[in-house]
């Protein structure tokens, strides 16, 4: 099986090689400096000519290995690690896998990204959710060498010059966090840097962003996590988080500094606690090319899943306006989803003016059902708070419990973005059996795995075989007996953020608009065939992530062009973008994706 897969891979790679032979790469270093630079290092694959030219003779064992040989060697060591740790606890194995990949990342980026791209289904759960959560939690102990940049509250006034400490002259993608809400794990302070690193690895793997042009950034404004403040291994500022204007002045300074050096970069905000997620989005989205992945990326993915659910019910898409949706979690992600779903409904209603207007969303937070009766009702939740009177379900009052809401509403979709593991318990899932939908959908979107609102097994066991199931972190498909399989979808913003970032970059747009985000979501929603949808498959396999991202990226470019925002990228001007057909735009995006191949190295002093 493995050999067959390798043979297929070689054919594919041979085709790629013939399509795009790499041009030479200028290197200003020699000898061990090259071996210690993961961007240039080829380890044992340096050909004799380069060993001579670059002062490497004698610094490497004499045998020269091919890239394929190195690749196989790495995969063999990875598989033997898997074999040797099979009786160890899951967390130990996950961290061991992360370490072996991280060591390769530190040593040889070309080989690292190639194994990542080719094995994305197996490696995404290590470099991304769920293992990245464990890595962040243990960052103090795992730290060996820095990756990315750290701007702390102590750097106020220095950021414009500090940004020039970054060695790459060009940066295309920046992922920024303040570590205040890392997955569902809460405030992890400086340890949250693992998230921008993981997201940017996905950018390289999925969107083909050149790894020389990515920048993971941690804004360390302190932490309110007492356990970290007391931890002697903690590497961040030992102070409570800055608040109010003090906090915003740090983010402002970073944004000004980053765009002063790289005016064409795209900045992705990631894992900010809700108040700052919304505030910064509002503050910067009309000024800089930025988006918030948790609010906007997640919303697009969820909308694609909700539309897929309508199709899975065998109904036309316009029936989305009648779906009853219960959202559990009124945070940055849950509220983002509701806004995007509402926009989609408003658009559909405009097309079908005679459709009845009813409020089809029920929102719950830690205090239960959110209604207009709520004391200190949060302004972001207010548009979705239930009222009283016509259209309301009798007996559902302020603070009603999840099980009460599910029993009374009988929703088509139960969507969790609460960060609370297991709150879709047996009672709640059993209540979903009585949903009014022929294919009730259960989306347990919180990360990492232990924070998922339910497991895939429990969902199918208690809610029945007919359900459509999706989770934020991966679960294995469920064996339903009699040869039937309960398909597990991964509803994760990884299906969209790489395409949003890449599309924004290649369009040269200075802003990321709702229209561009909507185009990304619609592109993902239409990716799946009716045949897959009938099987309960509403998101494509992650092994297709490069293809998906190409299509999403092209949809974003075209939306930017349609809004007259596209200023072009490198030598492709706005006029050329405007003249491109859909297929030509897809081709343009694909041609601009970096692919890991050893380039011939030429030394220059
Ligand atoms: N699958 C995906 O692509 C994504 C998943 N997420 C996940 O969503 C979760 C939440 O993220 P944010 O909205 O940014 O967090 P947040 O902290 O802003 O919001 C959490 C919300 O959950 C509510 N909540 C807490 N306990 C609850 C309970 N017992 N019952 C009902 N509601 C409860 C809180 O009141 C709050 O409204 C995290 O676990 C995160 O990993 C976030 C973004 C993308
Ligand atoms: C996937 C993601 O962005 C999150 O869980 O925060
Ligand atoms: Mg996130």
């Amino acid at each position: 099986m493995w050999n067959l897969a390798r043979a297929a891979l070689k054919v594919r790679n041979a085709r790629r090689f013939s399509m795009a032979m790499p041009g030479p790469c200028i290197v200003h270093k020699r000898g061990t400096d090259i071996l210690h630079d993961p961007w240039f290092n080829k380890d044992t694959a340096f050909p004799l000519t380069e060993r001579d030219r670059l002062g490497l003779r004698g610094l490497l064992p004499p045998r020269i290995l091919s890239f394929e040989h190195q690749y196989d060697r790495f995969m063999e060591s990875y598989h033997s690690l898997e074999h040797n740790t099979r009786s160890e606890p899951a967390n130990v194995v996950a961290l061991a896998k992360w370490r072996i990949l991280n060591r390769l990342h530190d040593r040889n980026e070309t080989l690292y990204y190639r194994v990542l791209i080719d094995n994305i289904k197996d490696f995404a759960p290590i470099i991304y959710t769920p293992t990245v959560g464990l890595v962040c939690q243990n960052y103090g102990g795992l730290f060996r060498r820095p990756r990315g940049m750290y701007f702390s509250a102590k750097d106020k006034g220095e950021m414009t010059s500090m940004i020039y400490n970054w060695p790459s002259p060009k940066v295309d993608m920046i992922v920024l966090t303040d570590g205040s809400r890392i997955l569902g794990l809460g405030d992890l302070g400086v340890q949250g840097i693992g998230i921008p690193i993981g997201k940017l690895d996905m950018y390289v793997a999925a969107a083909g962003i050149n790894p020389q042009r990515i920048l993971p950034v941690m804004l360390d404004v302190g932490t309110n996590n007492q356990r970290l403040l007391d931890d002697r291994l903690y590497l961040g500022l030992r102070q409570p988080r800055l608040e109010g204007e003090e906090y915003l002045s740090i983010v402002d300074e970073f944004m000004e500094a980053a765009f002063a050096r790289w005016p064409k970069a795209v900045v992705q905000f990631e894992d900010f606690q809700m108040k700052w997620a919304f505030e910064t989005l509002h503050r910067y989205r009309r000024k800089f090319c930025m988006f918030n992945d948790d609010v906007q990326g997640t919303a697009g993915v969820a909308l694609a899943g909700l539309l897929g659910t309508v199709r899975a019910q065998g109904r036309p898409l316009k029936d989305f306006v009648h779906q009853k949706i219960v959202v559990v979690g009124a945070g940055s992600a849950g509220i983002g989803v509701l806004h995007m779903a509402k926009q989609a409904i408003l658009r559909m209603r405009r097309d079908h003016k005679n459709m009845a207007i009813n409020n089809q969303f029920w929102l719950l937070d830690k205090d239960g059902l959110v209604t207009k009766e709520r004391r200190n009702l949060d302004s972001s939740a207010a548009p979705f708070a239930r009222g009283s009177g016509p259209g309301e379900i009798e007996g559902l009052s302020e603070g009603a419990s999840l099980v009460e809401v599910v029993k009374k509403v009988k929703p088509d979709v139960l969507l969790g973005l609460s960060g609370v593991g297991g709150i879709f318990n047996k009672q709640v899932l059993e209540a979903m059996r009585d949903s009014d939908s022929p294919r009730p959908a259960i989306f347990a979107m919180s990360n990492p795995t232990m924070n998922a609102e339910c497991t895939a097994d429990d969902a199918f066991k208690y809610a029945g075989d007919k359900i459509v199931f999706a989770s934020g972190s991966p679960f294995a498909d469920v064996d339903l007996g009699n040869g039937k399989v309960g398909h597990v979808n991964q509803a994760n913003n990884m299906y969209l953020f790489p395409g949003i970032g890449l599309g924004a970059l290649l369009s040269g747009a200075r802003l990321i608009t709702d229209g561009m985000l909507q185009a990304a979501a619609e592109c993902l929603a239409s990716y799946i065939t009716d045949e897959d949808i009938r099987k309960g498959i509403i998101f494509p396999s992650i092994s297709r992530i490069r293809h998906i991202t190409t299509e999403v990226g092209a949809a974003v470019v075209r939306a930017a062009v349609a809004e007259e925002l596209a200023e072009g990228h490198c030598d492709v001007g706005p006029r050329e973008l405007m003249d491109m057909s859909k297929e030509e735009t897809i081709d343009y995006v694909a041609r601009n994706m970096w692919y890991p191949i050893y380039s011939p190295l030429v030394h220059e002093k």
Side-chain angles (χ1 to χ4, degrees):
M1 205 41 210
W2 171 239
N3 284 340
L4 269 181
R6 296 285 310 129
L9 176 76
K10 276 183 186 155
V11 171
R12 222 168 58 223
N13 289 343
R15 279 201 207 114
R16 277 192 221 261
F17 275 121
S18 61
M19 277 189 300
M21 281 307 289
C25 187
I26 308 292
V27 51
H28 302 280
K29 304 177 176 181
R30 284 178 67 79
T32 44
D33 286 346
I34 293 180
L35 297 180
H36 293 157
D37 185 330
W39 178 243
F40 294 115
N41 186 24
K42 303 179 184 175
D43 287 314
T44 47
F46 278 107
L48 212 52
T49 47
E50 284 185 359
R51 293 182 187 210
D52 280 338
R53 276 205 306 267
L54 304 171
L56 294 169
R57 273 230 175 185
L59 300 181
L60 289 159
R63 175 141 178 239
I64 296 165
L65 301 188
S66 67
F67 184 69
E68 279 73 21
H69 197 151
Q70 288 183 321
Y71 183 112
D72 287 343
R73 199 166 166 268
F74 176 80
M75 291 308 293
E76 272 163 33
S77 56
Y78 181 82
H79 290 304
S80 54
L81 170 96
E82 263 183 333
H83 181 78
N84 296 338
T85 53
R86 63 197 185 286
S87 53
E88 304 278 337
N91 279 1
V92 172
V93 178
L95 283 182
K97 288 180 175 176
W98 179 83
R99 273 199 207 90
I100 186 173
L101 279 168
N102 191 49
R103 280 199 299 268
L104 181 61
H105 195 177
D106 282 348
R107 205 173 63 235
N108 180 336
E109 290 206 348
T110 315
L111 188 55
Y112 170 72
Y113 284 114
R114 186 68 157 270
V115 297
L116 185 58
I117 290 168
D118 290 348
N119 302 279
I120 191 73
K121 194 166 191 291
D122 291 333
F123 290 168
I126 301 166
I127 56 119
Y128 191 60
T129 184
T131 307
V132 72
L134 196 59
V135 170
C136 290
Q137 286 175 308
N138 294 284
Y139 175 80
L142 290 170
F143 181 85
R144 291 295 174 273
R145 50 180 286 181
R147 191 180 291 287
M149 286 194 87
Y150 301 77
F151 294 83
S152 90
K154 300 266 185 286
D155 297 319
K156 195 159 166 40
E158 301 296 328
M159 294 185 202
T160 312
S161 58
M162 278 170 75
I163 201 97
Y164 285 90
N165 290 342
W166 187 247
S168 267
K170 286 195 182 150
V171 164
D172 290 336
M173 270 311 309
I174 297 174
V175 178
L176 172 72
T177 190
D178 69 354
S180 55
R181 191 288 277 147
I182 294 300
L183 307 177
L185 305 170
D187 179 353
L188 293 185
V190 79
Q191 309 199 158
I193 184 69
I195 291 293
I197 293 170
K199 292 271 175 184
L200 282 161
D201 269 354
M202 291 300 287
Y203 263 108
V204 178
I209 302 287
N210 185 322
Q212 284 270 285
R213 296 188 182 190
I214 59 173
L215 176 57
V217 173
M218 160 55 61
L219 280 188
D220 183 358
V221 294
T223 176
N224 295 339
N225 182 333
Q226 196 56 45
R227 203 181 46 73
L228 292 180
L229 292 172
D230 295 340
D231 180 353
R232 66 190 172 81
L233 291 179
Y234 183 61
L235 294 169
L237 285 189
R238 286 169 180 263
Q239 65 174 51
R241 283 188 173 276
L242 295 186
E243 288 295 339
E245 285 305 316
E246 266 192 307
Y247 172 87
L248 286 170
S249 70
I250 296 287
V251 195
D252 284 349
E253 190 179 330
F254 169 77
M255 292 295 275
E256 296 290 348
F259 281 94
R261 184 167 181 202
W262 301 295
K264 298 209 158 162
V266 180
V267 175
Q268 173 169 326
F269 277 59
E270 193 67 50
D271 288 9
F272 283 70
Q273 59 181 306
M274 177 165 83
K275 65 177 177 182
W276 295 131
F278 287 130
E279 173 79 33
T280 51
L281 184 58
H282 183 68
R283 195 175 179 93
Y284 303 127
R285 72 174 304 201
R286 278 173 198 82
K287 191 167 177 202
F288 299 115
C289 189
M290 60 80 66
F291 70 107
N292 183 298
D293 181 37
D294 299 293
V295 178
Q296 298 167 300
T298 313
V301 166
L303 177 61
L306 294 172
L307 296 175
T309 302
V310 181
R311 288 169 69 196
Q313 293 165 0
R315 293 174 168 149
L317 271 188
K318 66 178 187 330
D319 265 31
F320 182 52
V321 304
H322 300 305
Q323 296 278 298
K324 292 183 286 179
I325 300 166
V326 170
V327 173
V328 186
S332 54
I335 298 290
V337 170
L338 283 169
H339 274 294
M340 197 156 191
K342 188 174 157 193
Q343 289 308 319
I345 285 164
L346 289 175
R347 277 195 306 278
M348 287 182 183
R349 277 200 188 128
R350 231 170 278 139
D351 296 342
H352 305 277
K353 288 203 172 57
N354 53 351
M355 261 175 192
I357 294 186
N358 67 328
N359 182 354
Q360 61 198 87
F361 304 122
W362 285 260
L363 174 64
L364 289 92
D365 68 3
K366 63 178 176 3
D367 299 317
L369 182 67
V370 179
T371 71
K372 295 196 166 57
E373 309 288 302
R374 174 72 62 99
R375 264 199 231 146
N376 304 323
L377 177 61
D378 194 283
S379 61
S380 55
F384 305 102
R386 303 296 308 194
S388 51
E392 294 303 328
I393 295 171
E394 205 154 316
L396 271 189
S397 50
E398 166 56 36
S401 71
L402 176 56
V403 71
E404 272 180 274
V405 173
V406 173
K407 279 186 174 161
K408 293 226 158 84
V409 174
K410 301 182 186 295
D412 297 275
V413 183
L414 174 61
L415 186 153
L417 280 162
S418 64
V420 184
I423 52 168
F424 295 175
N425 56 26
K426 182 170 180 279
Q427 251 189 319
V428 170
L429 292 171
E430 281 176 349
M432 279 301 284
R433 272 182 189 268
D434 296 327
S435 151
D436 284 337
S437 167
R439 301 252 358 220
I442 296 166
F443 293 178
M445 288 180 70
S446 290
N447 298 312
T449 314
M450 67 179 176
N451 296 68
E453 283 76 9
C454 65
T455 63
D457 279 342
D458 281 356
F460 284 97
K461 183 166 152 196
Y462 298 125
D465 293 2
K466 287 184 308 184
I467 63 165
V468 173
F469 179 77
S471 52
S473 296
F475 282 97
D477 284 347
V478 176
D479 181 355
L480 301 175
N482 303 327
K484 288 200 291 181
V485 172
H487 187 82
V488 174
N489 297 279
Q490 192 174 354
N492 191 292
N493 50 30
M494 70 183 177
Y495 282 113
L496 283 190
F497 72 76
I500 295 170
L502 179 66
L505 179 77
L506 296 182
S507 69
R510 301 284 174 147
L511 304 172
I512 298 180
T513 62
D514 285 345
M516 290 157 76
L517 297 163
Q518 184 193 321
E522 283 171 2
C523 176
L524 179 62
S526 60
Y527 195 89
I528 288 283
T529 62
D530 286 337
E531 193 191 342
D532 277 344
I533 289 271
R534 275 193 291 278
K535 293 183 207 149
I537 300 174
I538 54 167
F539 291 109
S541 162
I542 186 184
S543 44
R544 296 188 58 75
I545 195 88
R546 266 211 166 204
H547 187 253
I548 300 159
T549 301
T550 313
E551 303 248 336
V552 172
V556 172
V557 171
R558 286 173 66 75
V561 169
E563 292 188 51
E564 298 182 5
L565 288 170
E567 294 183 11
H569 175 77
C570 292
D571 52 356
V572 176
R575 184 79 241 169
E576 281 163 89
L577 287 178
M578 214 185 294
D579 290 343
M580 284 179 189
S581 65
K582 184 177 172 192
E583 285 65 35
E584 284 166 343
T585 315
I586 292 172
D587 186 53
Y588 162 68
V589 172
R591 275 186 287 111
N592 275 282
M593 289 165 102
W594 177 84
Y595 188 73
I597 295 173
Y598 285 148
S599 305
L601 297 183
V602 177
H603 180 253
E604 197 176 79
K605 283 203 181 114

